[in-house]
Amino acid sequence: MKKLKVYEYGGCSTCKKALRFLDGKKIAYEKVDITEVPPSIFELKRMLGHVGNIGKLFNTSGLVYKELGLSKLLPGMSEQESLTLLAKNGRLVKRPFVLGDGWGAVGFKEEEWKKRL
């Protein structure tokens, strides 16, 4: 299996659980700080193909999301506008954001990850 790319944030407890899970399974991964290097538009589009809904890519509980009032703005935004916004600010992206060979996931659901890995 090709190495996973895991976009994470060090202060995120869900990210920490996901990384402990991967370490426990001895699964190789590349860790990327999502606040310093957000996923590219290409990677966001790949993930969108896995999750099916642009709204699932947003960290709706985050401060930046709330400060920008995105719950009201997103319905009127195009997919491209949403992807551009996500690619510019990693704090808006739901995490962990994981891309692997033929799959992707946002958030950490252990049972789902067990099936995929």
Side-chain angles (χ1 to χ4, degrees):
M1 174 185 276
K2 190 176 176 184
K3 186 189 293 188
L4 297 176
K5 189 168 192 180
V6 180
Y7 286 92
E8 57 83 42
Y9 171 61
C12 169
S13 61
T14 306
C15 294
K16 290 176 186 177
K17 286 179 194 174
L19 295 177
R20 278 194 304 270
F21 172 83
L22 294 173
D23 291 340
K25 299 283 186 192
K26 300 197 183 327
I27 296 171
Y29 60 90
E30 172 190 357
K31 184 168 77 168
V32 180
D33 184 332
I34 200 165
T35 64
E36 292 180 17
V37 183
S40 68
I41 289 181
F42 175 77
E43 290 169 318
L44 290 161
K45 283 183 180 181
R46 271 187 62 204
M47 185 64 78
L48 185 56
H50 295 294
V51 300
N53 178 333
I54 193 81
K56 291 182 180 180
L57 299 181
F58 280 88
N59 175 15
T60 58
S61 61
L63 288 175
V64 176
Y65 182 88
K66 292 173 183 175
E67 287 171 356
L68 294 176
L70 289 176
S71 63
K72 293 178 182 171
L73 296 176
L74 276 180
M77 292 174 70
S78 71
E79 181 178 291
Q80 189 60 44
E81 289 170 323
S82 296
L83 292 170
T84 300
L85 187 60
L86 289 164
K88 287 182 179 177
N89 191 333
R91 292 192 183 268
L92 289 173
V93 181
K94 185 168 177 84
R95 55 191 185 251
F97 181 101
V98 181
L99 286 170
D101 198 16
W103 79 284
V106 290
F108 176 62
K109 294 182 180 126
E110 188 170 337
E111 290 306 312
E112 179 184 324
W113 285 37
K114 282 180 182 176
K115 290 176 189 173
R116 298 284 186 166
L117 302 169

